[in-house]
């Protein structure tokens, strides 16, 4: 049996999962790392902690498995995508904390940019994205402006920029390999997704020197070598993809019309659109898929706060001691009793794109309990995803037949059943929920010929449970109507 190691660097933790050639998880190691909130709306990570935790769990997963290192074929990386790191090429030291994808500090800058003639139109046409603080471009511009001397040093080629994949490869390879893949590059607001290259006009618009950018390769590619010092033997980094594109690949959604939703810190729904870049009229993004050879694209809807609402109930509100206990608490009542939680802690993503929206709890009465709020919080994840899917169906012009799901919160039966009820289509949960890591493993395995084709990979996909919709469609529509009313009351709250 041969194996591939997937490094899954997420928003709240670093994981490493070893997969065998049948796509089965053999061993897992995971460590959380601190979230840093310097100001309201700001979210940061220590890049050194990202690297340290990811390296350590990689070693732990290999050691726990007991496999011979000669049977490990390659390493793949999946990562939180838009999080932005700027570092010194000579020392490898970061110039500041990483600015996380959730961070909204550049909201004012984005508002100014949107007022420029044709600016947003140009961004949309070339990148498939909206002008929003979510993406790396304005985060990088902010760092270059705010760190003394950074812009001049960047122009001289003394600094390097990267998303988390680039930062990890730079340090893991030990040889200053400065690379990324097309799926991560497509999330920067600096990359033309049709041409597949950094765009000179976009760089000029955002005042980003080309000298600091990494080389862009297909997602299945020989990116570099881990030296013997990392895992005991040298290994090739054979695959890189942003976490959501990696999950789409891991779910075997290789054909136009197939869709998946990942329930992680946020929720991210992707619909494969083949070789066509579909321009959304309903607040969605066009993005590059994980690519092996040909260019492939997807429509994406991003929900900023998904599973993070459960962490909030656990850490800030003290409702439960462990995140997994939320399902039992929520299931202790028949419904939310008219309570709605809008978890707009860092604004709202698709289809609203309102950085000034803020969280709200509506419908409280004297009889409202923790259980009702917990249930409403879980349901908010499904409501947000339902709105994204509705927008997706409008853009694609085709009704969805089924939705494949993954991520930690997809293990919650109550949530998955409510999701099927709202959508009116079956929700399919696979046996392997860690499809983000699995996608990275598959990409790396293709590079080293452990697997020969996508068809071979698709044959590994196995169903764990199918959730059929049970709710009357009129009831589902009424609930969504009430949800939208709750959302309307949270919009532009911080901007008033």
């Amino acid at each position: 049996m041969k194996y591939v190691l997937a490094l899954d660097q997420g928003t709240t933790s670093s994981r490493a999962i070893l997969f065998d050639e049948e796509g089965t998880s053999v061993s897992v190691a995971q460590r959380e790392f601190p979230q840093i909130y310097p100001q309201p709306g700001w979210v940061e990570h220590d890049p050194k902690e990202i690297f340290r935790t990811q390296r350590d769990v990689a070693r732990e997963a290999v050691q726990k498995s007991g496999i011979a290192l000669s049977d490990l074929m390659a390493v793949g990386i999946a990562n939180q995508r838009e999080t932005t790191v700027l570092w010194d090429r000579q020392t490898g030291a970061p110039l500041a904390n990483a600015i996380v994808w959730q961070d909204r500090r550049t909201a004012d800058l984005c508002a100014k940019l949107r007022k420029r003639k044709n600016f947003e139109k140009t961004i949309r046409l070339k990148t498939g994205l909206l002008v929003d603080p979510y993406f790396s471009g304005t985060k990088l511009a902010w760092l270059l402006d705010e760190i003394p001397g950074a812009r001049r040093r960047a122009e001289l080629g003394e600094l390097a920029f990267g998303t988390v994949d680039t930062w990890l490869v730079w340090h893991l390879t030990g040889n200053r390999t400065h690379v990324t893949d097309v799926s991560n590059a497509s999330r920067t607001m600096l990359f033309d997704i049709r041409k597949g290259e950094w765009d000179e006009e976009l760089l000029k618009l955002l005042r980003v020197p080309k000298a600091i950018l990494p080389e862009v390769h297909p997602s299945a590619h020989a990116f570099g070598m881990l030296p013997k010092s990392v895992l005991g033997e040298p290994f090739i980094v054979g695959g890189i993809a942003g976490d959501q594109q990696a999950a789409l690949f891991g779910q075997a959604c290789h054909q136009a019309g197939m869709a998946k939703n990942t329930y992680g810190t946020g929720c991210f729904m992707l619909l494969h659109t083949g070789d066509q870049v579909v321009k959304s009229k309903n607040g969605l993004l066009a993005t590059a898929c994980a690519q092996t050879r040909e260019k492939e694209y997807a429509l994406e809807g991003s929900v900023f706060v998904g599973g993070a609402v459960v962490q909030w109930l656990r850490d800030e509100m003290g409702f439960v001691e462990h995140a997994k206990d939320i399902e039992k608490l929520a299931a202790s009542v028949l419904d939310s009793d008219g309570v709605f939680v809008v978890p707009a802690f860092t604004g709202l993503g698709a289809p609203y794109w309102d950085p000034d929206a803020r969280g709200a709890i509506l419908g409280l009465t004297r009889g409202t309990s923790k259980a009702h709020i917990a249930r409403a919080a879980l349901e908010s994840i499904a409501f947000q995803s339902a709105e994204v899917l509705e927008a997706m169906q409008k853009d694609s012009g085709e009704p969805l037949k089924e939705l494949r799901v993954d991520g930690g919160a997809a293990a919650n039966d109550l949530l998955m059943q409510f999701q099927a009820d709202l959508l009116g289509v079956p929700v399919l949960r696979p046996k392997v929920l860690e499809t983000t890591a699995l996608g990275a493993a598959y990409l790396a395995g293709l590079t080293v010929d452990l697997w020969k084709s996508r068809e071979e990979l698709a044959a590994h996909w196995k169903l764990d449970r199918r959730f059929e919709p049970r709710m009357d469609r009129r009831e589902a529509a009424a609930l969504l109507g009430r949800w939208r009313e709750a959302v309307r009351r949270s919009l532009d709250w911080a901007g008033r």
Side-chain angles (χ1 to χ4, degrees):
M1 187 71 78
K2 299 296 183 182
Y3 304 87
V4 178
L5 180 65
L7 308 184
D8 183 4
Q9 205 300 302
T11 307
T12 58
S13 69
S14 296
R15 285 183 298 177
I17 305 179
L18 196 72
F19 292 97
D20 65 23
E21 57 195 73
E22 295 176 354
T24 302
S25 171
V26 175
S27 68
V28 182
Q30 179 171 352
R31 293 188 192 178
E32 292 191 2
F33 54 86
Q35 307 295 298
I36 303 166
Y37 305 104
Q39 297 182 31
W42 291 29
V43 189
E44 297 179 355
H45 292 158
D46 180 348
K48 298 187 293 296
E49 276 293 290
I50 289 175
F51 168 66
R52 185 186 64 79
T53 54
Q54 192 63 75
R55 179 199 60 198
D56 290 353
V57 293
R59 290 171 173 169
E60 184 182 339
V62 172
Q63 290 168 358
K64 282 168 65 175
S65 71
I67 69 163
L69 290 178
S70 58
D71 292 329
L72 182 56
M73 299 285 287
V75 175
I77 295 175
N79 59 284
Q80 50 167 320
R81 296 174 298 178
E82 298 82 5
T83 296
T84 300
V85 190
L86 185 67
W87 67 93
D88 186 304
R89 285 184 182 273
Q90 191 65 34
T91 65
L95 270 68
N97 279 337
I99 302 180
V100 179
W101 59 271
Q102 299 163 312
D103 189 284
R104 312 303 286 174
R105 75 184 65 184
T106 63
D108 290 343
L109 173 59
C110 288
K112 290 177 183 176
L113 292 173
R114 282 192 291 269
K115 291 177 182 177
R116 287 192 196 174
K117 186 179 180 181
N118 293 328
F119 185 87
E120 188 153 32
K121 183 178 178 181
T122 301
I123 293 290
R124 194 68 190 261
L125 179 66
K126 293 189 174 189
T127 70
L129 308 178
L130 299 169
V131 179
D132 190 84
Y134 178 26
F135 306 109
S136 311
T138 56
K139 292 174 168 55
L140 176 56
W142 188 92
L143 287 168
L144 293 174
D145 284 336
E146 295 297 320
I147 299 172
R151 186 169 293 283
R152 175 164 173 73
R153 293 190 66 201
E155 291 167 351
L156 293 172
E158 296 177 4
L159 305 182
F161 151 75
T163 42
V164 167
D165 58 307
T166 304
W167 167 255
L168 287 176
V169 173
W170 178 283
H171 285 278
L172 286 170
T173 56
N175 62 359
R176 304 184 179 183
T177 304
H178 193 204
V179 292
T180 190
D181 90 299
V182 66
S183 69
N184 279 292
S186 75
R187 310 297 292 186
T188 60
M189 278 175 49
L190 304 170
F191 188 78
D192 189 316
I193 60 174
R194 289 177 178 84
K195 293 181 179 178
E197 60 187 31
W198 299 117
D199 186 85
E200 297 286 355
E201 183 182 10
L202 298 177
L203 295 176
K204 187 176 180 180
L205 287 170
L206 285 165
R207 298 169 55 237
V208 171
K210 194 171 185 178
I212 66 173
L213 301 176
E215 290 183 33
V216 184
H217 299 287
S219 309
H221 178 81
F223 288 93
M225 291 292 293
L226 270 62
K228 187 176 181 179
S229 59
V230 178
L231 293 174
E233 291 292 340
F235 294 104
I236 189 171
V237 178
I240 292 177
D243 49 12
Q244 303 314 316
Q245 289 98 328
L248 189 72
F249 200 85
Q251 284 274 34
C253 294
H254 301 313
Q255 297 176 347
M258 299 185 74
K260 70 87 195 175
N261 196 25
T262 296
Y263 298 81
T265 302
C267 288
F268 302 88
M269 190 179 293
L270 271 70
L271 173 72
H272 201 296
T273 59
D275 60 0
Q276 299 298 309
V277 178
V278 175
K279 184 178 179 181
S280 174
K281 297 178 181 177
N282 296 281
L284 303 180
L285 309 171
T287 198
C289 290
Q291 296 177 1
T292 52
R293 294 185 190 86
E294 306 301 323
K295 290 185 174 71
E296 299 174 54
Y297 303 98
L299 274 172
E300 175 174 337
S302 308
V303 171
F304 295 153
V305 176
V309 73
V310 176
Q311 293 175 318
W312 171 72
L313 290 176
R314 179 194 67 186
D315 299 339
E316 271 68 51
M317 305 304 288
F319 276 27
V320 291
E321 188 173 348
H322 304 287
K324 61 181 175 58
D325 297 333
I326 204 72
E327 181 175 7
K328 183 179 179 181
L329 177 61
S332 68
V333 290
L334 291 175
D335 54 39
S336 67
D337 196 29
V339 175
F340 287 83
V341 173
V342 183
F345 304 146
T346 56
L348 287 172
Y352 297 98
W353 294 106
D354 181 359
D356 292 321
R358 287 296 178 266
I361 303 177
L362 297 101
L364 296 173
T365 68
R366 182 62 184 83
T368 300
S369 67
K370 285 184 177 180
H372 292 118
I373 295 173
R375 185 156 188 139
L378 271 186
E379 290 179 352
S380 76
I381 302 172
F383 278 125
Q384 292 177 96
S385 297
E387 286 206 90
V388 170
L389 180 62
E390 186 177 87
M392 220 164 247
Q393 289 177 311
K394 288 178 181 176
D395 280 334
S396 67
E398 292 186 16
L400 194 71
K401 295 186 177 73
E402 64 182 32
L403 180 68
R404 295 188 176 192
V405 298
D406 54 65
N412 188 308
D413 289 351
L414 182 69
L415 173 59
M416 292 300 98
Q417 183 59 55
F418 189 68
Q419 188 72 86
D421 289 342
L422 284 181
L423 298 179
V425 299
V427 167
L428 276 58
R429 184 171 67 197
K431 285 187 179 295
V432 177
L433 279 179
E434 305 302 338
T435 53
T436 298
L438 183 59
Y442 280 164
L443 290 163
L446 287 171
T447 298
V448 296
D449 290 327
L450 177 60
W451 297 293
K452 305 299 183 186
S453 69
R454 295 184 181 202
E455 290 73 25
E456 183 181 354
L457 300 178
H460 293 156
W461 193 92
K462 292 181 176 62
L463 181 68
D464 170 56
R465 181 168 172 183
R466 180 184 181 98
F467 296 87
E468 294 285 352
R470 300 173 185 167
M471 188 180 290
D472 179 84
R473 301 316 304 145
R474 286 172 296 182
E475 183 182 352
L479 282 172
L480 274 166
R482 289 291 282 168
W483 160 258
R484 290 189 178 99
E485 176 59 31
V487 170
R488 277 194 288 273
R489 297 178 185 220
S490 75
L491 296 176
D492 196 35
W493 187 264
R496 295 179 187 182

